[in-house]
Amino acid sequence: MGDYDPELLELAYDAKRFVLYMRSIVEMAPLQVYYSGLLFTPRSSLMRGGYLKNIPWVTMEPKVADVWSSLIQTLEGHTGDVKSVVFSPDGKLIASASEDNTVRLWDTSTGTQCEVLEGHISDVSSAVFSPDGKLVASASWDGTVRLWNTSTGKQYGILEGHARDVNSVVFSPDGKLVASVSWDKTVRLWDTLTGKCGLLEGHTDNVNSAVFSPDGKLVASASFDETVILWDSSTGKKYGVLEGHTSRVNSAVFSLDGKLVASASWDKTVRLWDTSTGKQHGILEGHTSTVNSAMFSPDGKLVASASDDSTVRLWDISTGKQCGILEGHTHSVKSVVFSPDGRLVASASEDKTVILWDTLTGKQCGVLRGHTDSVNSAMFSPDGKLVASASWDETVRLWDTSLGKQSGILEGHTRDVNSVVFSPDGTLAASASWDETVRLWDTSTGNQCGVLEGHTRTVNSAVFSPNGKLVASASSDKTVRLWDASTGTQCGILEGHTRTVNSAVFSPDGNLVASASHDKTVRLWNASTGKRCGVLDGHTSPVTSIVFSPDGNLVASASRDNTVRLWDTTKKTTIEIIETHDTISLLKFSHDGTHLHTSHGVLQLKSSLHSGGDWELAHRLPHSLYVTGQWIICNMKILLCLPVDYRLSCSAMNDTANLLAIGTASGRVIFISIDFTALPAAYLHPSVLS
């Protein structure tokens, strides 16, 4: 070999990783490469070290991984959950099937979308390449299988006959047959040239997947009836039944030599079977939720499995031991596949992404994961020194905002935690959970100091009264309950809502409680007597958020009908309706009560109660910083784009420190602080939503 410069090669490799990781962001907003691109690149990256200068308006940078993880690139474009992903035989293309009714073809070297295959009229559940790579077959809930030309993207044929949704499709090794399976409990074999069909009957429940053996002589089908059935592909007769799973079987796949079958099940396991004897060869255990699919590596040494626990796991076939966990998806992983050379794994997820992984490194190096599941709620303490985050991993975690590090884990809930809130003095935190309880925690020690039991269904939120003596909890059991914070004793049940109560809030003087419900109403209650003192009726969809004005004379409510309503608490009437373009999930009045901070920016109030000087106040609004989807927005302008694995699940804002806490679906909590005085001129003029 000729002379080469190791440092130059290292830089080239790092630059390639940077471009692939940030491709989608750069395509949307090219200048973000200097901001988001460099801020969220691993700390040891040469690109970051060489090009990230001091960004004067970022006073606290998000903490990121030290080195590149095994995640290479995220392919974005689908508008619905991705159900299936597969490499072409030569490894140059990926086909992904989605709930958006399309199949998309991607270039694996660049991540570029090559074709969008449109024609199905319902979810596409599966897509697969023919052995020569010239065709793609797709299965859909519209009851059809469709064949596509990969070079032109045009439809080649429609195979009709199933009586219900088609769940999966696969080519035979010689490409002459296609096998499809359906909720009609059958497997069908199709001749790709003539479209003629053969029917395989024997399962007693929905059939989820089918696969040919490498020699094409057998077909294995996986079913909700907890079995895998082996069929003779030439005669259509049953060859064997593989029994042992204790719940539904989602998929089955042959090893390359045809001697083994791997099956993935709702029982959280992958099972290996000997095809000659039908006996169980091994059980691969470790996933914490349903296993959706499994795949053998080309060399037959590994099995990769995809699960609802948001992970892909790698297994050594010879020992049955787990040899890698690939973490990065933020929702269920539905499908996984190896590249032809075994160097890459592609996984498809309900987070609407396909992720490519390097099987040689196989390790995830994120440092702020903290939670092991989605973060549902984040809240700053009154002094801004702590953030509490609530998660589906059944814990509440405390974070030191000055260091951006986890400072405590509050464990005790037995199901998902929906929300968390601090007491006014910050000494207590209250968390609401699917386990039907509210738990009180000492924030200085992390010790549990009370369990508030009484609700009969999920508790959606909890809130302290202004003096910290009461806690109000809102539940799917249609009630709001009041509790004594010092003793944990229940001191009132507020009944009247006819559907789930989403949230409750105290008035500033603590005399009233307002509750928001799926029954489309806001109700007002006397906090001392528990009696109802008003029903605010007008929204046409569930009410998601409510807040009192600083003087307690107004209530603002946000609804899934994409409106915010302003109510007079004395007259119980609507005094203003503000149309929004999306559902608002967070409401907070300004200190003077003239406008609302929301999860989508600032809303100016135009009602007569706030006339006289308010138009001038609108031009002196405090700066607006919030997160929506993949963007951090400042004064109604895009400031930073969040990479996929840092995107919003929930957020909290400390107005005093201009500090954002962002909880992600992957379990991370990150902090970003902005100095408004150092922002470019274009960001210095606050504006309001119209």
Side-chain angles (χ1 to χ4, degrees):
M1 294 180 65
D3 294 336
Y4 63 91
D5 185 341
E7 293 184 359
L8 184 59
L9 286 178
E10 186 179 1
L11 177 61
Y13 173 79
D14 191 76
K16 179 181 178 181
R17 292 299 307 267
F18 178 83
V19 169
L20 291 175
Y21 184 63
M22 294 297 170
R23 177 190 174 93
S24 61
I25 289 178
V26 173
E27 287 180 341
M28 287 185 292
L31 293 181
Q32 285 292 317
V33 70
Y34 297 106
Y35 301 107
S36 299
L38 295 170
L39 274 177
F40 289 97
T41 297
R43 303 194 70 82
S44 64
S45 164
L46 298 177
M47 295 295 291
R48 179 189 177 104
Y51 295 98
L52 179 60
K53 308 303 179 185
N54 178 45
I55 301 177
W57 41 269
V58 177
T59 55
M60 177 184 282
E61 295 180 3
K63 292 190 182 297
V64 295
D66 290 328
V67 298
W68 289 108
S69 72
S70 51
L71 189 157
I72 296 174
Q73 188 174 19
T74 302
L75 311 180
E76 295 185 277
H78 282 295
T79 58
D81 296 351
V82 184
K83 293 298 187 183
S84 169
V85 62
V86 65
F87 283 94
S88 62
D90 61 8
K92 294 180 179 180
L93 292 178
I94 286 174
S96 55
S98 170
E99 285 185 354
D100 63 13
N101 302 354
T102 72
V103 176
R104 295 176 190 246
L105 301 182
W106 312 83
D107 185 308
T108 56
S109 62
T110 65
T112 304
Q113 183 174 283
C114 304
E115 297 285 351
V116 181
L117 311 182
E118 297 178 292
H120 284 294
I121 58 174
S122 189
D123 301 8
V124 186
S125 53
S126 172
V128 64
F129 284 93
S130 61
D132 60 9
K134 294 181 179 179
L135 295 178
V136 165
S138 57
S140 171
W141 287 8
D142 64 15
T144 70
V145 173
R146 295 180 188 239
L147 301 177
W148 312 84
N149 185 303
T150 56
S151 61
T152 66
K154 292 183 178 179
Q155 189 169 281
Y156 174 81
I158 306 177
L159 309 179
E160 298 177 291
H162 281 294
R164 293 193 63 190
D165 305 353
V166 187
N167 294 318
S168 177
V169 63
V170 64
F171 280 94
S172 61
D174 61 9
K176 294 180 179 180
L177 295 177
V178 165
S180 59
V181 303
S182 169
W183 282 10
D184 63 13
K185 305 177 185 178
T186 70
V187 180
R188 290 179 184 253
L189 297 180
W190 309 84
D191 186 306
T192 56
L193 291 179
T194 66
K196 290 184 179 180
C197 174
L199 183 63
L200 311 182
E201 295 181 290
H203 282 295
T204 58
D205 207 335
N206 301 339
V207 190
N208 294 314
S209 73
V211 63
F212 285 91
S213 60
D215 61 9
K217 294 180 179 180
L218 294 179
V219 173
S221 56
S223 170
F224 275 17
D225 64 13
E226 303 180 3
T227 71
V228 175
I229 295 182
L230 301 180
W231 311 84
D232 186 309
S233 62
S234 60
T235 65
K237 291 183 179 180
K238 192 181 293 183
Y239 177 83
V241 182
L242 312 181
E243 297 177 293
H245 281 295
T246 58
S247 190
R248 300 171 175 180
V249 187
N250 289 316
S251 69
V253 63
F254 285 93
S255 60
L256 285 188
D257 59 10
K259 295 180 179 180
L260 293 178
V261 166
S263 54
S265 170
W266 283 38
D267 64 14
K268 306 177 186 177
T269 71
V270 175
R271 295 180 187 241
L272 301 178
W273 311 85
D274 187 308
T275 56
S276 60
T277 65
K279 292 183 179 179
Q280 190 169 279
H281 180 78
I283 305 177
L284 311 182
E285 297 178 290
H287 282 294
T288 58
S289 190
T290 296
V291 187
N292 295 308
S293 72
M295 181 64 66
F296 286 94
S297 61
D299 62 9
K301 295 180 179 180
L302 297 177
V303 167
S305 54
S307 170
D308 279 355
D309 65 13
S310 303
T311 71
V312 174
R313 296 179 189 240
L314 300 178
W315 312 84
D316 185 308
I317 293 174
S318 62
T319 64
K321 292 183 179 180
Q322 184 175 285
C323 54
I325 304 178
L326 309 182
E327 297 176 292
H329 281 297
T330 58
H331 288 287
S332 299
V333 188
K334 292 301 182 185
S335 152
V336 63
V337 64
F338 283 91
S339 62
D341 62 5
R343 288 288 304 273
L344 299 178
V345 166
S347 53
S349 169
E350 286 188 352
D351 62 15
K352 302 182 178 64
T353 70
V354 176
I355 290 183
L356 302 180
W357 312 86
D358 187 322
T359 58
L360 292 182
T361 60
K363 59 183 180 181
Q364 180 72 27
C365 304
V367 295
L368 286 180
R369 188 157 301 278
H371 287 290
T372 58
D373 209 331
S374 179
V375 183
N376 297 319
S377 172
M379 181 68 68
F380 277 93
S381 60
D383 61 9
K385 294 181 179 179
L386 292 177
V387 162
S389 56
S391 169
W392 284 359
D393 68 6
E394 302 177 3
T395 72
V396 174
R397 296 182 188 235
L398 299 178
W399 307 81
D400 185 310
T401 59
S402 62
L403 302 174
K405 292 184 178 180
Q406 185 174 284
S407 60
I409 305 177
L410 313 183
E411 297 177 292
H413 282 295
T414 58
R415 293 196 64 187
D416 304 354
V417 189
N418 291 317
S419 71
V420 62
V421 64
F422 285 94
S423 61
D425 62 7
T427 60
L428 295 178
S431 54
S433 169
W434 277 53
D435 65 13
E436 302 176 4
T437 71
V438 176
R439 294 177 189 247
L440 300 180
W441 312 87
D442 185 310
T443 57
S444 62
T445 65
N447 292 334
Q448 185 174 284
C449 50
V451 182
L452 313 183
E453 297 178 292
H455 283 294
T456 58
R457 292 192 67 186
T458 298
V459 187
N460 297 309
S461 68
V463 64
F464 284 91
S465 60
N467 62 10
K469 294 182 178 180
L470 293 178
V471 171
S473 55
S475 170
S476 294
D477 66 11
K478 307 175 188 177
T479 71
V480 176
R481 295 181 187 239
L482 300 180
W483 313 84
D484 186 305
S486 61
T487 65
T489 304
Q490 185 173 284
C491 50
I493 305 178
L494 313 183
E495 297 177 291
H497 281 295
T498 59
R499 294 190 65 188
T500 293
V501 188
N502 295 314
S503 67
V505 63
F506 285 92
S507 61
D509 59 11
N511 293 331
L512 293 179
V513 171
S515 53
S517 170
H518 264 49
D519 66 13
K520 307 173 187 177
T521 71
V522 174
R523 296 180 185 240
L524 300 178
W525 314 83
N526 185 300
S528 59
T529 66
K531 292 183 178 180
R532 189 178 69 201
C533 51
V535 179
L536 310 182
D537 197 355
H539 282 295
T540 58
S541 290
V543 186
T544 56
S545 181
I546 49 174
V547 65
F548 279 94
S549 62
D551 59 11
N553 293 328
L554 301 177
V555 165
S557 59
S559 166
R560 290 182 187 169
D561 63 15
N562 292 348
T563 69
V564 171
R565 288 180 178 247
L566 207 61
W567 311 83
D568 185 313
T569 57
T570 302
K571 297 179 180 179
K572 317 298 189 295
T573 56
T574 302
I575 60 174
E576 186 174 344
I577 302 174
I578 305 171
E579 300 286 342
T580 59
H581 301 296
D582 203 350
T583 301
I584 300 295
S585 59
L586 175 68
L587 290 173
K588 183 171 65 174
F589 273 94
S590 62
H591 294 301
D592 57 15
T594 61
H595 59 278
L596 285 166
H597 285 287
T598 79
S599 54
H600 286 62
V602 177
L603 293 174
Q604 181 181 332
L605 305 180
K606 300 177 181 178
S607 71
S608 59
L609 292 184
H610 294 283
S611 60
D614 291 344
W615 296 102
E616 290 185 14
L617 280 171
H619 296 287
R620 302 199 305 271
L621 296 179
H623 291 283
S624 168
L625 186 68
Y626 63 99
V627 188
T628 176
Q630 68 197 70
W631 299 103
I632 295 177
I633 306 294
C634 177
N635 295 334
M636 303 304 296
K637 299 177 181 69
I638 292 170
L639 184 63
L640 285 172
C641 187
L642 299 171
V644 171
D645 43 344
Y646 290 91
R647 286 185 189 164
L648 173 74
S649 175
C650 64
S651 66
M653 176 68 186
N654 182 339
D655 295 320
T656 304
N658 296 327
L659 179 64
L660 270 175
I662 301 173
T664 73
S666 65
R668 289 183 176 93
V669 175
I670 61 172
F671 298 90
I672 300 176
S673 183
I674 303 298
D675 179 0
F676 288 114
T677 63
L679 283 168
Y683 290 90
L684 298 181
H685 303 290
S687 55
V688 294
L689 289 170
S690 57

